[in-house]
Amino acid sequence: MKKLLLSASAFLSFAAAMNAQQIQPCGMHQAMESHLKNVPGYAAKLNAVEAVKNAELANSNMAAKSASITSAYTFTIPVVFHVLHLGENIGTGTNVSDALLNSALAQVNRDFARLGSDTTTIDPLYDSLYINSRIHFELAKKDPMGNCTNGIVRHYNTRTNWAQSDLFNYQYSTMAPGNWNPSKYLNIYIVKNIIDDGGSQGIIVGYTYLPGTSPIDPADAIAYRYDFLSGLNARSLSHEIGHWLGLSHTFGGSNNAGTVCGNDDIGDTPRTSGFFSNCPQPYTALNDSCDPGKRPNINNIMDYSSCPKM
């Protein structure tokens, strides 16, 4: 199982022109709930994955594994952006420019390497946990047929209005010859809109699946809105990649911050009910009832707070 071997890190800056209450930062659990209702055998698959994960966590020696990896080693993950558009000129609307995609990926790499400009303002209680993950994301250089590529593929496709329930959306990451096999690439679908199958209103920024939990293999990918790629908004993409590597939300297995206690499945993250679009200050005044005597890591990428920095 893919697993991120560090305390989680960086996240979500809401676009100022949008009403934060209308934004659903992540739609992972919404999509999974839809598939539980509509995809035969999906519940059994999730139960099997959970059993394997629990066994791995129980038998793992994380400290020993981390110590065995030299500081010079880097895990490089090839990335493919699939830009779904409706015929706009490149750089217009959903057909975003190469430069914007490159800048978003650069932000992701800063987040995973502790190279952000705001690291000096992280809660000092958790600052030392934020380390360079030695995971680097790089646009693919070879396509599935061995030809050169820049890792950005543009598709005229009406599914740019992306429905979470439509598993045919993932037609470019199937295992068919010439397609971008998800066992070899991190596929990111850039879309105009993500439609919640449950009918809720608002903006879903992106979603993906935890390792092994995609309803079909081609769905081991990320769907992500085109208008959250610039500047620190791209930290929402870092959040989705955190899920893709195996992290839950800081508040556990839901999309609803502030309701139940949980953590991101990594032991150095204290239990919390999470935060939504706020950042209480000062950090030292925080005391989370989910983990009495400890304060939550509000800067954690896998929370919904408005101050993700690590």
Side-chain angles (χ1 to χ4, degrees):
M1 179 179 288
K2 294 170 288 190
K3 188 53 96 168
L4 184 58
L5 302 179
L6 79 160
S7 59
S9 0
F11 173 51
L12 188 68
S13 129
F14 293 131
M18 297 181 179
N19 182 336
Q21 296 305 314
Q22 295 179 336
I23 295 176
Q24 175 63 50
C26 174
M28 179 177 74
H29 292 286
Q30 290 166 315
M32 294 174 72
E33 288 295 328
S34 172
H35 300 321
L36 282 169
K37 297 175 184 175
N38 300 308
V39 178
Y42 188 53
K45 180 176 185 177
L46 294 185
N47 290 336
V49 169
E50 183 71 11
V52 170
K53 182 188 78 171
N54 290 338
E56 286 184 348
L57 291 174
N59 296 318
S60 66
N61 186 334
M62 202 70 74
K65 289 180 179 179
S66 297
S68 69
I69 302 171
T70 68
S71 60
Y73 195 91
T74 298
F75 299 89
T76 300
I77 297 175
V79 174
V80 181
F81 284 110
H82 299 277
V83 180
L84 308 191
H85 63 88
L86 295 173
E88 305 99 324
N89 293 328
I90 293 177
T92 305
T94 311
N95 200 3
V96 295
S97 68
D98 287 10
L100 184 58
L101 294 167
N102 276 286
S103 70
L105 198 61
Q107 179 61 52
V108 168
N109 279 316
R110 285 193 292 273
D111 291 338
F112 277 80
R114 196 195 157 103
L115 294 175
S117 61
D118 51 5
T119 57
T120 58
T121 58
I122 291 170
D123 182 346
L125 182 64
Y126 297 109
D127 178 66
S128 64
L129 297 178
Y130 183 18
I131 63 173
N132 183 347
S133 70
R134 300 196 292 274
I135 300 173
H136 182 74
F137 302 90
E138 189 172 285
L139 288 172
K141 292 184 172 64
K142 287 188 177 182
D143 72 11
M145 306 305 290
N147 301 311
C148 292
T149 181
N150 68 351
I152 299 171
V153 190
R154 300 177 186 277
H155 312 274
Y156 176 85
N157 195 319
T158 57
R159 288 192 173 104
T160 191
N161 289 302
W162 181 281
Q164 290 181 312
S165 59
D166 187 354
L167 297 179
F168 291 101
N169 287 337
Y170 298 96
Q171 61 182 297
Y172 307 112
S173 51
T174 70
M175 275 59 76
N179 274 2
W180 306 81
N181 190 324
S183 69
K184 297 181 179 180
Y185 304 95
L186 166 53
N187 290 284
I188 302 174
Y189 288 82
I190 302 299
V191 301
K192 182 177 182 179
N193 184 35
I194 298 173
I195 303 165
D196 171 22
D197 188 52
S200 66
Q201 301 300 309
I203 294 167
I204 298 175
V205 177
Y207 74 99
T208 186
Y209 299 96
L210 297 172
T213 68
S214 58
I216 57 174
D217 288 342
D220 183 14
I222 294 171
Y224 193 83
R225 275 184 64 119
Y226 78 104
D227 47 356
F228 282 80
L229 289 165
S230 61
L232 291 181
N233 282 326
R235 279 184 161 164
S236 295
L237 183 55
S238 299
H239 174 100
E240 296 308 325
I241 291 175
H243 284 317
W244 185 80
L245 288 166
L247 292 171
S248 299
H249 290 136
T250 56
F251 43 89
S254 80
N255 281 335
N256 302 311
T259 57
V260 296
C261 298
N263 73 4
D264 63 1
D265 293 332
I266 300 296
D268 58 10
T269 304
R271 285 170 57 78
T272 182
S273 61
F275 298 83
F276 181 79
S277 190
N278 65 333
C279 186
Q281 296 282 336
Y283 299 136
T284 53
L286 293 173
N287 183 14
D288 201 313
S289 59
C290 294
D291 206 341
K294 295 184 180 179
R295 64 178 184 256
N297 184 355
I298 197 170
N299 298 141
N300 192 313
I301 186 177
M302 303 311 296
D303 205 303
Y304 283 176
S305 81
S306 60
C307 52
K309 300 174 184 178
M310 59 177 297

